[in-house]
Amino acid sequence: MPDNSRFTVTADAPGKIILFGEHAVVYGRPAIAVPVIQVRASATIESRADDAVVIDAPDIARMSTLRDAPADDPLATIIRLTCARLGVPPEKFTVRIRSTIPVASGLGSGAAVSVAVARALGKYFASVTLAPHASVGMPNADISDLAYEVEKLHHGTPSGIDNTVIAFEQPVYFVRGKPIESFRVAKPFTLAIADTGIAAPTKIAVGDVRSQWEADRELFEKLFDNVGTLAHNARVLIEQGAIEGLGGLMTANQILLATMGVSSLEIQRLVDAALGAGALGAKLSGGGRGGNMIALVTEVTQDAVVRALLKAGAKRVIVTMVGGRQ
Ligand code: PMV
């Protein structure tokens, strides 16, 4: 075995947005998600001379050992699960995590951190033990599965869409429990992603939708069906490059999400501002209640929409291209 003293490996993972289908995806309807490469989480594994595993996450001012972490801690969980999957003892390394993905804002920060840590550990142990996957580390499907286990800690019934789009880093048409389906983006399109600045844990929104679904299954099944139809039709338009039609579907999805009770005044203010400035469509993205919203823009409307979003209170706006050079 090679000398692994002072050995360091880094891996990273992008953020993501859900274009169509959040919440309904938990109930088996299709959803579309795309990676957002402008924000990323990274994990560095550094060998240690002592036996400890140290978790160092300076962005959240956290420094602890794996042994002292609570059993349900997400960082400790991804480390333990990944080591178990790799068949190696969790010992003798530091995990340093950095992230530019805002937390609890619908950009997949939790899943991105899990994917980055699992990917980095896979590469690290592949290198130090010269395992069969030495050059590439673990397959994306395994990394996605591990991150999914941690998603369950964030909220009890995750659909799996976040870990899938982030681990594979490509647009996905996602149906819970089905194999990953990617699709062709025939013509690139541009989104403005605006942050309400309100941290809103997915768990609460998902739990509230569940209570309402339990109280009125007939209504909520219909809402979910309508969302699923929008996601399906959106995929057809994206594959045809008929981007002009997408905006209307996004705004229709926003109305359905508001009916489910997961929008908010702040989100709606940003949606209205974007539409007023010429966006083709706009909706919340992710769990809702706060977090981020997305607006479909063109070269002509992009600047006006970004300005309008900032004026309407957005804490920051990221412009990202889907399907082209980002
Ligand atoms: O808030 P986010 O980005 O984690 O997105 C959650 C998406 C939901 O559909 C609301 C939940 C899920 O598990 O799919």
Side-chain angles (χ1 to χ4, degrees), residues 16 18 21-23 25-26 106-108 151 155 157-162 202 206 286-288:
K16 72 97 211 348
I18 298 181
E22 49 276 273
H23 287 290
V25 68
V26 175
L107 291 181
E151 289 292 285
H155 66 97
T157 57
S159 63
I161 190 167
D162 281 20
T202 303
V206 168

Side-chain angles (χ1 to χ4, degrees), residues 6-24:
R6 296 186 309 279
F7 184 70
T8 296
V9 163
T10 296
D12 67 2
K16 72 97 211 348
I17 48 157
I18 298 181
L19 271 183
F20 290 94
E22 49 276 273
H23 287 290

Side-chain angles (χ1 to χ4, degrees), residues 70-101:
D72 62 350
D73 175 68
L75 291 175
T77 304
I78 191 66
I79 294 167
R80 289 195 184 104
L81 288 176
T82 305
C83 286
R85 177 74 63 101
L86 293 168
V88 295
E91 60 183 27
K92 297 184 193 295
F93 58 84
T94 295
V95 182
R96 191 160 296 113
I97 294 146
R98 302 302 312 248
S99 177
T100 57
I101 310 173

Side-chain angles (χ1 to χ4, degrees), residues 16-26 28-35 106 159 161-162 165 171-176 183 185 189-191 223-239 242-257 260 280-287 293-296 322:
K16 72 97 211 348
I17 48 157
I18 298 181
L19 271 183
F20 290 94
E22 49 276 273
H23 287 290
V25 68
V26 175
R29 274 49 164 207
I32 295 176
V34 298
S159 63
I161 190 167
D162 281 20
V165 64
V172 296
Y173 183 81
F174 181 87
V175 181
R176 188 173 187 173
F183 59 94
V185 179
F189 55 94
T190 305
L191 297 169
L223 293 172
F224 297 151
D225 280 344
N226 291 342
V227 171
T229 303
L230 290 175
H232 172 268
N233 293 346
R235 175 184 177 163
V236 174
L237 291 181
I238 295 170
E239 285 178 329
I243 301 308
E244 316 70 46
L246 266 190
L249 302 188
M250 285 169 67
T251 308
N253 197 161
Q254 168 62 17
I255 292 168
L256 291 166
L257 287 161
M260 290 176 208
L280 295 171
K283 64 182 276 293
L284 68 84
S285 181
M293 57 75 69
I294 54 176
L296 180 63
V322 179

